[in-house]
Amino acid sequence: MSSRRSRQSGISDDQIANLVTKLQHLIPELRRRRSGKVSASTVLQETCNYIRNLHREVDDLSDRLSELLASTDDNSAEAAIIRSLLN
Amino acid sequence: MASADKPLNTDVPEKDVFALHFLQSLSNLRRQHTFNSPDKTNHRVNKIKKAAYVSMARAAGGTNRLWSRALLRRAAKENNRVVGLSRRNKRVTWLRRRSNNRRDPLEEKDAERLRNLVPGGGAMETSKLMEETAHYIKCLSMQLGKAVFESLKCVLGVRSCRLFTLSNKLKKFTISLTANPSRNSSLVLSNGMKWGLCVAVL
């Protein structure tokens, strides 16, 4: 256990900084502020906000999809097209 | 385990993979009898949402990534299905995490919030968490932005096409998934649009 611990606490700050930079590139909000002065804490906060936004978008679009799927089952011509695509 | 020398791998598969999985799960959903009833909207919405997440997890690598594994396990538990996933000993990972997270307390508070958002984050240590977050964000934006939903929004802008060309176009779309340049994303259910809309359901 002690050997495992000493090996793992060798995760350097460089690697952490590397990961933080990678995350920064992925978040559109922070890509604009590429000043190099963005702190790790900001990156993590913006990541949380971004993930929450994405979740909200998934919810919103699921609502729309469900509406669409419900409304199309009345008309047979459209249903035929949909069936041909989804099968 | 996570040595400093191993290069980080946050590649995600092509958007076609995501779309294919999602379309398959949608078509499976439609085959269920209870799905198409006009009432029970919440039930249907939840099923679509779950299908979206599960298909994303499968497209992103199934059980190869921690977050997708946790997502699939959570979904299977909701269905009361037994999933044969190799379980890492949770207590061991928790202890390992405690012993390694001697970062400054500011970072840990944010990391905790992140852990609550990313599926499976509770058992990861900080560096692994960030790697998984990067992959998760890429997959989510792939699923939402480029793969199915955005293309759905694009095809919603299709106004007057003949039935034949439309169905061909959408068949090609299912295979190649090229985004339509017209980007009208408003969901107006007028009668004229309804025809184009319904075809957009793909």
Side-chain angles (χ1 to χ4, degrees):
Chain A
M1 187 66 180
S2 61
S3 64
R4 207 189 294 160
R5 188 182 301 173
S6 64
R7 210 200 314 155
Q8 288 207 341
S9 62
I11 295 175
S12 55
D13 288 332
D14 287 346
Q15 202 188 11
I16 295 290
N18 191 14
L19 286 167
V20 170
T21 336
K22 253 195 153 167
L23 272 180
Q24 188 180 340
H25 289 322
L26 286 174
I27 302 171
E29 171 71 30
L30 293 179
R31 234 182 280 161
R32 292 179 238 139
R33 285 197 252 155
R34 213 197 275 238
S35 61
K37 280 187 283 189
V38 185
S39 71
S41 145
T42 319
V43 171
L44 289 178
Q45 280 175 16
E46 289 300 323
T47 317
C48 292
N49 292 336
Y50 188 54
I51 293 183
R52 270 187 224 124
N53 283 339
L54 289 175
H55 284 172
R56 220 176 303 156
E57 239 186 274
V58 171
D59 292 347
D60 180 42
L61 289 169
S62 304
D63 279 336
R64 285 202 201 157
L65 244 188
S66 120
E67 260 177 64
L68 277 180
L69 280 177
S71 65
T72 57
D73 288 311
D74 321 338
N75 199 328
S76 59
E78 294 135 351
I81 302 173
I82 296 163
R83 257 180 263 130
S84 72
L85 282 165
L86 282 181
N87 290 343
Chain B
M1 312 298 278
S3 66
D5 304 311
K6 197 162 45 166
L8 295 169
N9 178 24
T10 54
D11 298 329
V12 299
E14 292 289 313
K15 60 185 179 188
D16 302 356
V17 182
F18 286 94
L20 192 63
H21 277 86
F22 187 51
L23 285 175
Q24 277 176 349
S25 62
L26 270 186
S27 72
N28 282 338
L29 276 180
R30 292 194 94 246
R31 287 203 202 104
Q32 296 175 10
H33 296 300
T34 56
F35 189 68
N36 296 326
S37 58
D39 48 344
K40 297 207 236 175
T41 321
N42 278 341
H43 175 67
R44 188 168 50 229
V45 169
N46 286 337
K47 283 199 129 162
I48 292 183
K49 206 191 307 181
K50 202 159 67 148
Y53 277 115
V54 168
S55 62
M56 175 176 76
R58 285 217 195 97
T63 52
N64 288 337
R65 303 240 73 158
L66 284 174
W67 65 264
S68 61
R69 206 183 301 169
L71 228 171
L72 289 172
R73 194 184 300 160
R74 198 193 300 169
K77 213 193 302 183
E78 284 174 22
N79 295 344
N80 294 328
R81 255 188 290 145
V82 176
V83 184
L85 299 171
S86 64
R87 292 192 56 133
R88 196 180 305 186
N89 192 344
K90 272 225 169 126
R91 184 168 172 270
V92 171
T93 54
W94 186 79
L95 281 178
R96 201 185 297 151
R97 185 180 124 197
R98 282 288 293 259
S99 70
N100 282 311
N101 284 342
R102 281 190 215 101
R103 318 262 168 241
D104 55 313
L106 272 176
E107 211 174 289
E108 265 315 297
K109 217 185 338 166
D110 299 315
E112 274 306 310
R113 240 178 289 161
L114 200 55
R115 268 185 245 275
N116 291 336
L117 285 171
V118 176
M124 294 183 217
E125 56 164 0
T126 315
S127 60
K128 189 70 181 163
L129 175 71
M130 295 172 69
E131 186 185 338
E132 292 287 315
T133 313
H135 196 258
Y136 185 54
I137 290 182
K138 273 194 189 173
C139 291
L140 265 181
S141 54
M142 192 69 87
Q143 173 90 335
L144 281 172
K146 295 168 197 155
V148 185
F149 283 125
E150 182 81 9
S151 316
L152 273 181
K153 287 196 278 185
C154 291
V155 184
L156 283 180
V158 170
R159 289 202 172 261
S160 60
C161 284
R162 264 167 296 142
L163 203 72
F164 181 69
T165 51
L166 245 181
S167 67
N168 273 351
K169 183 179 194 177
L170 289 165
K171 278 212 181 78
K172 262 189 290 175
F173 168 81
T174 317
I175 302 172
S176 70
L177 283 180
T178 53
N180 197 316
S182 67
R183 285 179 158 241
N184 182 6
S185 63
S186 58
L187 199 103
V188 178
L189 276 175
S190 67
N191 269 342
M193 278 284 283
K194 194 174 183 189
W195 191 71
L197 260 183
C198 301
V199 190
V201 176
L202 302 169

